[in-house]
Amino acid sequence: MTDRPKLKRVLLKVSGEILGGEQSGIDRDMVEAFAAEIEEAKTVGAEIAIVIGGGNILRGEMMRRQGVKKVAADYMGMLGTIINALALQSALEARGVDARVMTAIVMEHFVEPYVWRNAVRHLSEGRIVI
């Protein structure tokens, strides 16, 4: 058995397509499988932050080609990211893994506003930050 290096903090950037599987939208089995992998990765003791895209929900570039203004298309893509983050948070919490979704977009009824110090606190307290 080889010793694993001790990791302090890990930032994982993944495409939203990881949650879509063979389809567009969200494939619950894919979300569950990804959550299981994150849960396993957490066992090494590292603080884990995840940045996830929203391409499985909507691609801003595609919307721009269809005549949607760039800013509106980009916002639509950001909302897809939040949808994925909430799906992942739900799957993690169902496994008993504490997770927080944070965003710079104001929508504090269901996600936390991104504040660097709060994100670091969540990480240090063992939560996954998405």
Side-chain angles (χ1 to χ4, degrees), residues 83-99:
I83 291 168
N84 282 338
L86 290 168
L88 182 56
Q89 178 188 36
S90 177
L92 286 166
E93 289 178 344
R95 302 182 77 78
V97 178
D98 201 6

Side-chain angles (χ1 to χ4, degrees), residues 19 52-53 80-90 101-102 111 130:
L19 303 184
I52 189 159
T81 294
I82 296 300
I83 291 168
N84 282 338
L86 290 168
L88 182 56
Q89 178 188 36
S90 177
V101 174
M102 301 183 86
V111 298
I130 307 167

Side-chain angles (χ1 to χ4, degrees), residues 1-87:
M1 183 168 132
T2 60
D3 291 328
R4 293 187 207 179
K6 184 167 172 42
L7 301 174
K8 168 116 174 85
R9 187 172 295 150
V10 175
L11 174 63
L12 179 62
K13 167 57 176 109
V14 294
S15 168
E17 293 171 343
I18 195 169
L19 303 184
E22 298 295 319
Q23 60 186 12
S24 62
I26 296 175
D27 179 327
R28 194 68 193 162
D29 291 337
M30 295 299 292
V31 176
E32 295 293 333
F34 187 47
E37 289 182 17
I38 294 165
E39 179 182 32
E40 182 179 342
K42 191 165 174 26
T43 64
V44 300
E47 299 170 352
I48 301 174
I50 301 168
V51 176
I52 189 159
N56 58 312
I57 305 292
L58 182 133
R59 293 206 165 273
E61 178 61 31
M62 182 179 62
M63 298 307 295
R64 285 193 294 273
R65 280 190 247 128
Q66 293 178 12
V68 176
K69 289 185 179 181
K70 180 182 181 338
V71 172
D74 290 343
Y75 284 151
M76 293 165 74
M78 288 181 226
L79 292 172
T81 294
I82 296 300
I83 291 168
N84 282 338
L86 290 168

